[in-house]
Amino acid sequence: MDISLDLNYEQSMRVSPTLIAVNHVLALSSQELQNLIKQEAEENPALEITEHQTCSLCGEVLRNGVCLQCLRGGNSTNNNSSTGDEFGFSQLGYQEDRSDGGYSSLSADDDDFDPVSLVAAEATLRERMMLDLRSTLNSSDFEIADYILGSLDDRGFLTCEPAAIASEMGVTLEQVERVLQVMQRIGPPGIGARDPRECLILQLDHMKQETGEEPPHVRRILEEYFVELGEHKYSQIAQKLDTTVEEVEDAREYIKHNLTPYPVEWMEDDVATWGRPSRAQYVAPDVIIKEVDGELEVEVVESRRFFMRLNPLYGQMATDLRNRSDGMSDNDKKHIQQYVSRTKLFLSNIRQRRETLTKIARALVEHQEGFLLHGIRHLKPLTRAQIAEATSLHESTVSRATAGKYVMLPDRRVVPFADFFTASLSIKDVIKEIVEKEGKPMADREIVARLRERGIRIARRTVAKYRSQLGILPSTLRS
């Protein structure tokens, strides 16, 4: 045996702390970036920040407490740049969508003006269902319907048995069950179920009513082997059903992609509004794409609230420290070097975030110009890998930079970055148009035929999935 020391050269990849910080800032949305800036300002005395009051709707800097952009309501083409510092934030003007031309009748000098007060609250799903029930039921059943609706939880499940409702209200069980059946017919499929299993079975009934078909084994699996399905005991289920594991897995895929264990999720736009007065939300865009003189321009909205720079006093002390360090204690030197370096790194990370988002947004403009100018029907298939190749960025960087962020389009709609990479949106828009103009409710097979007439070939199951994602009920429920 021999003990010796050997020197070997080896190459390895390691993620530096600087790269981690850059990626962290890149992944932040505008709101998250503002929170990070506030936190950094509290912890870093070398970072100087000037904060401006901004509009709660569009994020524009307020003038005398009023957002002039929201008052005008039109597309802005004026750019108000920051005050000269290379790390300053751009004060760019933009507005939310105002189909009525904005708030031009209000005075800009009105300090009490609040645009949010003019936004109407939307009816909840519970309120809309009550209105539908009142137009369908006899007046003697209104109280029963109201009691049942009040007994549904946030997921749409019935929290008590019909017999208990009948006993509590002094009516017959047949009356309660009749009202519940009407509610289940006009509401989201599965509404009023007692548990996920019953919800799935009710939805399967709706699907069969709609299409006239039912995949093999799905019903028996839900009725008899629901627990085993959740435990992934496919071989055991296949043996009891005298079928193959592949068919059991096909049944599971059908359940996964066409049914949901929670009734309200069939109308995904209403998930957040069950029992709440309003779901109105205002999303601040991270990037603005606007048309100026016939050309599409890109602007990255980092923050309108803050103007940032290195504190001049700390900058001067850092210069003095480089030229002569006499008269400074070791703690003072360490303090100055630490916070000046931290500030420069922080501002550099934010600048790199701006440059990366600008590069990606310009590539999207080049690839999806038709969509930006002419609407969703002109959306082309596009992947993040294509954008990565066009921008010489890594695909993971493109994904990180676009995840959870929003873009304001030239028509002033705010959409997620993900819409640029979702080609199915154009097909969904066609399906929505077909349903709106259908007259007599059309089954999914008929919608498939109409799509083929327009040169779009997709399966019936895909139409059913897109229809449910759009919140469009089956034809039997649209009559």
Side-chain angles (χ1 to χ4, degrees):
M1 297 179 64
D2 183 28
I3 298 177
S4 62
L5 294 175
D6 295 324
L7 294 177
N8 295 317
Y9 291 98
E10 180 180 324
Q11 288 185 339
S12 62
M13 295 182 63
R14 295 183 181 179
V15 181
S16 66
T18 302
L19 182 58
I20 294 175
V22 169
N23 287 333
H24 173 66
V25 173
L26 179 62
L28 298 178
S29 65
S30 289
Q31 185 59 51
E32 292 169 335
L33 181 62
Q34 290 182 12
N35 295 336
L36 179 65
I37 291 171
K38 287 183 178 180
Q39 179 182 347
E40 184 69 18
E42 293 174 357
E43 300 175 356
N44 187 353
L47 181 62
E48 184 178 286
I49 294 180
T50 302
E51 184 172 356
H52 305 282
Q53 188 180 6
T54 56
C55 175
S56 60
L57 292 181
C58 68
E60 179 59 41
V61 176
L62 300 183
R63 301 289 184 266
N64 297 324
V66 175
C67 177
L68 300 181
Q69 298 297 339
C70 288
L71 282 172
R72 284 196 291 267
N75 288 325
S76 172
T77 58
N78 297 324
N79 299 339
N80 301 319
S81 59
S82 57
T83 58
D85 187 88
E86 61 174 333
F87 299 117
F89 281 110
S90 176
Q91 309 294 325
L92 304 174
Y94 74 97
Q95 313 80 34
E96 289 280 51
D97 190 8
R98 298 271 184 264
S99 58
D100 58 355
Y103 306 113
S104 57
S105 62
L106 299 176
S107 170
D109 296 327
D110 185 3
D111 292 336
D112 297 328
F113 168 64
D114 182 10
V116 178
S117 65
L118 302 180
V119 180
E122 300 184 26
T124 66
L125 175 57
R126 192 193 301 272
E127 292 168 344
R128 294 202 300 271
M129 284 187 62
M130 192 63 224
L131 291 174
D132 292 339
L133 286 170
R134 286 179 178 271
S135 65
T136 306
L137 298 170
N138 296 324
S139 58
S140 58
D141 293 328
F142 288 172
E143 290 188 9
I144 301 175
D146 190 52
Y147 193 102
I148 294 176
L149 282 173
S151 301
L152 300 179
D153 63 17
D154 290 342
R155 300 169 298 174
F157 286 136
L158 186 62
T159 57
C160 56
E161 292 295 328
I165 297 176
S167 176
E168 180 72 22
M169 299 193 67
V171 298
T172 65
L173 178 60
E174 289 73 17
Q175 285 180 281
V176 176
E177 290 180 339
R178 183 181 71 252
V179 174
L180 180 59
Q181 288 173 1
V182 173
M183 180 185 300
Q184 291 174 338
R185 187 173 72 249
I186 69 175
I191 197 79
R194 261 75 72 175
D195 52 51
R197 173 181 162 278
E198 182 183 359
C199 176
L200 293 171
I201 293 173
L202 288 172
Q203 290 172 10
L204 185 63
D205 291 338
H206 281 285
M207 295 290 289
K208 185 176 181 180
Q209 236 181 350
E210 167 69 16
T211 64
E213 299 178 355
E214 183 178 295
H217 310 303
V218 172
R219 185 174 296 276
R220 283 197 62 191
I221 290 174
L222 291 176
E223 292 177 346
E224 303 174 23
Y225 308 109
F226 186 64
V227 175
E228 289 83 351
L229 180 67
E231 296 174 348
H232 304 286
K233 296 179 179 178
Y234 304 141
S235 299
Q236 181 178 334
I237 298 174
Q239 185 177 4
K240 291 182 178 180
L241 293 178
D242 192 24
T243 185
T244 63
V245 174
E246 287 74 16
E247 290 192 347
V248 174
E249 290 178 345
D250 288 343
R252 175 189 174 277
E253 287 300 310
Y254 178 86
I255 295 171
K256 178 180 177 181
H257 292 100
N258 295 278
L259 310 178
T260 173
Y262 303 111
V264 181
E265 287 189 0
W266 272 82
M267 301 179 70
E268 59 183 26
D269 288 341
D270 294 307
V271 172
T273 68
W274 181 256
R276 295 184 181 85
S278 175
R279 71 171 184 272
Q281 297 180 357
Y282 298 93
V283 179
D286 301 271
V287 174
I288 297 173
I289 300 175
K290 60 183 180 180
E291 187 176 4
V292 179
D293 298 330
E295 299 290 334
L296 292 175
E297 294 186 357
V298 170
E299 296 171 315
V300 177
V301 184
E302 288 165 326
S303 173
R304 291 184 172 85
R305 293 183 60 182
F306 304 105
F307 172 77
M308 301 194 310
R309 67 173 182 174
L310 176 65
N311 187 301
L313 177 60
Y314 272 81
Q316 184 60 48
M317 288 191 296
T319 301
D320 294 342
L321 183 61
R322 287 194 300 269
N323 295 334
R324 55 181 179 81
S325 59
D326 299 339
M328 292 187 182
S329 66
D330 292 340
N331 287 337
D332 289 341
K333 295 176 184 177
K334 183 178 179 180
H335 174 87
I336 295 170
Q337 291 172 342
Q338 175 185 348
Y339 285 107
V340 169
S341 299
R342 175 172 170 173
T343 301
K344 290 182 177 179
L345 177 62
F346 184 72
L347 297 175
S348 175
N349 291 342
I350 292 177
R351 181 170 59 245
Q352 189 165 340
R353 174 187 184 272
R354 176 178 65 240
E355 293 172 353
T356 301
L357 282 176
T358 301
K359 191 180 295 186
I360 292 173
R362 286 174 177 167
L364 289 174
V365 167
E366 182 179 348
H367 285 78
Q368 298 286 15
E369 184 176 359
F371 164 55
L372 294 169
L373 294 177
H374 307 296
I376 200 168
R377 298 290 178 85
H378 299 268
L379 186 65
K380 298 178 181 178
L382 182 65
T383 65
R384 290 171 178 81
Q386 290 175 279
I387 294 298
E389 183 178 357
T391 56
S392 300
L393 297 171
H394 195 276
E395 186 176 351
S396 63
T397 302
V398 176
S399 299
R400 185 178 294 107
T402 57
K405 296 185 180 65
Y406 293 82
V407 182
M408 178 175 280
L409 306 183
D411 61 4
R412 297 167 57 212
R413 288 185 300 115
V414 179
V415 302
F417 263 104
D419 282 8
F420 288 90
F421 307 102
T422 310
S424 63
L425 289 178
S426 58
I427 301 177
K428 290 180 181 179
D429 191 60
V430 177
I431 293 174
K432 183 178 179 182
E433 179 187 327
I434 292 174
V435 172
E436 288 174 348
K437 299 179 179 179
E438 64 185 356
K440 179 182 176 182
M442 300 172 60
D444 291 342
R445 290 186 179 278
E446 297 176 277
I447 295 177
V448 169
R450 291 289 183 89
L451 290 173
R452 287 181 177 174
E453 292 175 2
R454 302 190 182 199
I456 302 173
R457 303 183 66 86
I458 58 175
R460 178 192 56 77
R461 289 184 181 180
T462 306
V463 169
K465 181 178 72 173
Y466 289 169
R467 176 178 51 72
S468 65
Q469 291 174 351
L470 289 167
I472 300 173
L473 295 176
S475 60
T476 53
L477 303 179
R478 300 201 301 270
S479 56

